[in-house]
Amino acid sequence: MFASGCEQSAENGQPKLTPEQVSLGFFQAIYIDKDVQKAKQFVAADIAEVMDHYHIASAVQRHVLGLSMKQVTMSIDEIDIDFFRKFTDDVTVVVKMEGLKGGRKWIDDRTIRLHKKGNSWVIVEILPEKGRIEG
């Protein structure tokens, strides 16, 4: 769904995902598909190892992301690169999520840092929250 229209990598014929697509793919795997294995393809090895420890998506939501939600919709709220994307190897992406937390409407966001490895972007850090919570 989110990978359509992406560039093709000349090296291996695999789609080359943008930082936005990697970010949304990760959060979709955890919050919508509830598939930790699917989410691990978007993260660095150390984060994947932590996710393995928790096994299930609801535990990853609670302990890794610090945000348990249901019926989530998400979008990119902010990204710190634009024109210079081709010249940078690190980006920060803010993903805005709307859904239900404890049965009540909730809007929150999570900030992640991605690093470019070869032609691919991988999530290397889930940044601590700054306390910007709406409800």
Side-chain angles (χ1 to χ4, degrees):
M1 167 183 132
F2 58 87
S4 62
C6 55
E7 301 173 36
Q8 291 289 321
S9 170
E11 295 172 354
N12 57 14
Q14 292 297 312
K16 186 167 62 173
L17 300 179
T18 66
E20 296 92 336
Q21 290 168 321
V22 170
S23 302
L24 290 176
F26 171 74
F27 283 100
Q28 175 169 327
I30 293 297
Y31 284 94
I32 297 170
D33 302 334
K34 296 180 179 19
D35 186 339
V36 173
Q37 293 302 312
K38 183 177 176 183
K40 285 171 39 181
Q41 70 182 310
F42 300 108
V43 301
D46 59 333
I47 297 174
E49 195 175 306
V50 171
M51 290 169 59
D52 274 341
H53 175 74
Y54 291 108
H55 303 293
I56 60 172
S58 61
V60 170
Q61 287 180 26
R62 191 168 33 260
H63 299 290
V64 179
L65 298 166
L67 181 63
S68 294
M69 289 178 66
K70 296 181 189 250
Q71 297 178 20
V72 177
T73 59
M74 59 201 73
S75 60
I76 299 296
D77 194 36
E78 186 179 314
I79 185 165
D80 71 353
I81 59 170
D82 51 340
F83 175 76
F84 299 105
R85 178 183 305 247
K86 293 180 177 132
F87 306 109
T88 186
D89 288 338
D90 277 293
V91 299
T92 303
V93 175
V94 179
V95 177
K96 178 181 179 182
M97 296 186 285
E98 299 182 48
L100 298 177
K101 179 178 177 182
R104 299 179 66 175
K105 284 190 175 199
W106 192 264
I107 300 170
D108 213 322
D109 58 42
R110 287 294 175 264
T111 305
I112 54 177
R113 193 166 61 84
L114 295 92
H115 186 76
K116 192 173 189 178
K117 294 190 181 195
N119 282 333
S120 302
W121 290 94
V122 63
I123 298 169
V124 295
E125 186 179 8
I126 298 163
L127 298 163
E129 286 315 298
K130 301 173 187 104
R132 193 182 126 205
I133 298 174
E134 307 163 33

